[in-house]
Amino acid sequence: KKARKKAVTIVFSGKSLSKANGFLKNAGELDAKVLVNEKDPDSNVFKFIDAVFSKNRKRAYLELRNLMKEEQNEIYILAMLVYNLRNIALVKFGEEKSISPFARTKSVNSAKKYTEEKVMELYGLFYSLDKKLKTGEIESEVAVPLAIEAVLN
């Protein structure tokens, strides 16, 4: 209510805001115009992760393109690759009970495609890429494709 009369406020939300939302409830009192854009994103990081770890190169790069069009952060994408690799490692090394049932099912299927040695090799590579990315030794546009290719090959 302390906003200036000519203020422009933009609210981004990952889900629809309910009518109980404080901003929406007070919009009428503030003589504010509310425009809602409920366009669903074309990208989905989980579709990307599934494509990469199921070794589907074409779909992986298509999903990566969608993520990039929507300006997803490369560090986040790399972190999600590491997250999925962690789930696969938990399955490979017999600790899958700590994963949710849905993730466990997906990880059990993915784990069949990788040896324990490959999982450890990928961990080392992901660590190296993450470190180089965060210290500026490698450009962000290069890190994710390198990680993808390491998983696919």
Side-chain angles (χ1 to χ4, degrees):
K1 292 183 179 180
K2 294 179 183 179
R4 294 176 295 165
K5 285 284 184 193
K6 301 251 181 192
V8 174
T9 303
I10 299 173
V11 178
F12 289 100
S13 176
K15 59 183 179 178
S16 295
L17 299 177
S18 73
K19 293 184 193 289
N21 175 275
F23 179 76
L24 295 178
K25 263 175 44 176
N26 293 310
E29 289 177 38
L30 302 171
D31 197 28
K33 184 187 299 184
V34 176
L35 303 171
V36 177
N37 177 6
E38 295 200 18
K39 179 187 178 297
D40 289 330
D42 292 328
S43 68
N44 179 318
V45 74
F46 296 107
K47 287 181 185 178
F48 166 73
I49 297 299
D50 289 346
V52 171
F53 283 94
S54 65
K55 296 186 176 255
N56 185 334
R57 178 176 274 110
K58 184 176 180 180
R59 197 170 124 235
Y61 281 103
L62 178 68
E63 293 299 335
L64 179 60
R65 186 187 73 190
N66 290 338
L67 290 168
M68 294 294 96
K69 277 192 334 191
E70 294 184 7
E71 299 181 5
Q72 285 288 346
N73 183 296
E74 288 90 348
I75 293 174
Y76 169 70
I77 295 169
L78 194 57
M80 291 304 291
L81 287 167
V82 172
Y83 167 79
N84 198 67
L85 182 62
R86 181 207 66 157
N87 286 346
I88 290 171
L90 289 170
V91 168
K92 288 303 266 184
F93 296 103
E95 297 295 326
E96 67 269 5
K97 290 181 180 93
S98 62
I99 309 171
S100 73
F102 178 74
R104 185 179 320 128
T105 301
K106 291 178 115 13
S107 299
V108 165
N109 291 333
S110 293
K112 294 173 185 173
K113 297 178 173 117
Y114 303 95
T115 64
E116 291 177 1
E117 293 78 23
K118 181 66 175 178
V119 170
M120 297 304 291
E121 176 189 322
L122 287 171
Y123 257 120
L125 176 79
F126 285 6
Y127 172 78
S128 175
L129 285 173
D130 187 54
K131 183 177 176 184
K132 288 177 181 178
L133 181 61
K134 290 177 179 172
T135 59
E137 291 181 49
I138 191 171
E139 294 295 320
S140 59
E141 298 85 25
V142 176
V144 174
L146 285 174
I148 293 170
E149 289 304 317
V151 174
L152 294 175
N153 294 322

